[in-house]
Structure formats: structure tokens, C-alpha cells
Amino acid sequence: MASDLNSVALVGRLTRDAELSYLPSGMPVAAMSIAVNRSRKENDQWVSEVNYFDISYFSKSAESVKPYLTKGKQIAVQGSLKQDRWEKDGQKFSKVRIMANSVELLGSRSDGGGAGYSGSGAPGGYQQRSGYAASAPQQESAPPEGDAFGGGGQDFPEDIPF
């Protein structure tokens, strides 16, 4: 018998700054919303379609990445879907939101995207990648001498046989 699966991975841009709050237990919760653009072909023309998703990120990591979760930043989110249902004035409502297991900031230093800061549900807060410090932005340094792959290029013949 097949088991059920509830997993989602999205890349989009934040539509507002993340809001940080705390549960009575002290657990931090970051609430945010992203816009995910999708292009599809309709007849002979490409049509752009935008979908908006609300995200809840329950994790100590939410505190660490919250300063970087600002409107317009591109993020990757992995988690699961949760449907909230309620009734108001006799009318039934429902809303699906993403319960994030991890949030990763994407982009480069030049566009201000945290370039590799990621938060996962694991203890220890965010993961630091690409050599960026979380406490303060660093100035860009000059690229290393030689070619982009770390050498002067003298060790390889000009024609690579692939």
C-alpha cells in the first residue's frame, strides 16, 4: 500500500518583511509570504502567472534569519502544507499555508539577498555558507589572481577534449 506524502519546495520573493512572534512555550515563529512567478504558454503567447503563499517557520533559526527576510528577497522554502479551517458567521473558510522546515536566502551580495544563509529546523540556528558572516555584511574583496578556477591556467592544455 502506498503511503501519503506532504512535501513542498518553492522558490519565490518575499512580499513583505517577515514578522517574528513567540509561542507561549518560547518557540520563535516567523510569518512571511512569498510570490512565485510561473510562465505558461497560452495559445501562441507566454503568460505570466503569480501565486502567493503564506509561510510559517517554527524554529530557533527563525530568530537568526529574520533580519534578512525582507520584502523582495528571494528565498527557497522546504516544508509541508497545512490546511486551516474555520467558521465565521455560519460561513466556512479554509486556507492552505506552508509549514517551513527550512528557509534559505538566495541571491548574491550585490542584490542584497543573504547569499547562502539558510535556516533549518536543526539545532544550532542558521547554517553559514559561502564565507559570509551573519553579524555584519562584509565588503567585497578583489578576485584571486589567475583564472576563475583558482590557477593561472598553465597546468592545462588550451584544448580540453570534451
Side-chain angles (χ1 to χ4, degrees), residues 85-104:
R85 296 181 188 126
W86 69 96
E87 190 171 320
K88 183 177 178 183
D89 299 329
Q91 191 171 7
K92 293 182 179 183
F93 296 92
S94 76
K95 181 176 189 169
V96 175
R97 63 184 161 128
I98 298 165
M99 306 301 288
N101 295 328
S102 70
V103 172
E104 184 172 341

Side-chain angles (χ1 to χ4, degrees), residues 8-102:
V8 63
L10 296 172
V11 173
R13 295 205 176 262
L14 290 165
T15 61
R16 58 184 164 89
D17 292 356
E19 298 168 6
L20 189 64
S21 61
Y22 295 87
L23 297 176
S25 66
M27 173 68 73
V29 180
M32 61 199 97
S33 178
I34 63 171
V36 177
N37 293 309
R38 185 183 131 194
S39 294
R40 60 183 169 80
K41 196 164 189 175
E42 192 172 285
N43 299 324
D44 289 339
Q45 294 203 346
W46 285 95
V47 178
S48 182
E49 178 179 284
V50 181
N51 291 290
Y52 299 94
F53 300 97
D54 288 330
I55 300 166
S56 295
Y57 185 34
F58 294 83
S59 171
K60 288 282 185 193
S61 300
E63 287 179 313
S64 301
V65 297
K66 194 272 181 204
Y68 307 102
L69 296 173
T70 57
K71 182 177 180 176
K73 301 293 181 179
Q74 188 178 41
I75 64 169
V77 177
Q78 291 183 337
S80 59
L81 300 175
K82 181 178 188 300
Q83 183 177 25
D84 296 324
R85 296 181 188 126
W86 69 96
E87 190 171 320
K88 183 177 178 183
D89 299 329
Q91 191 171 7
K92 293 182 179 183
F93 296 92
S94 76
K95 181 176 189 169
V96 175
R97 63 184 161 128
I98 298 165
M99 306 301 288
N101 295 328
S102 70

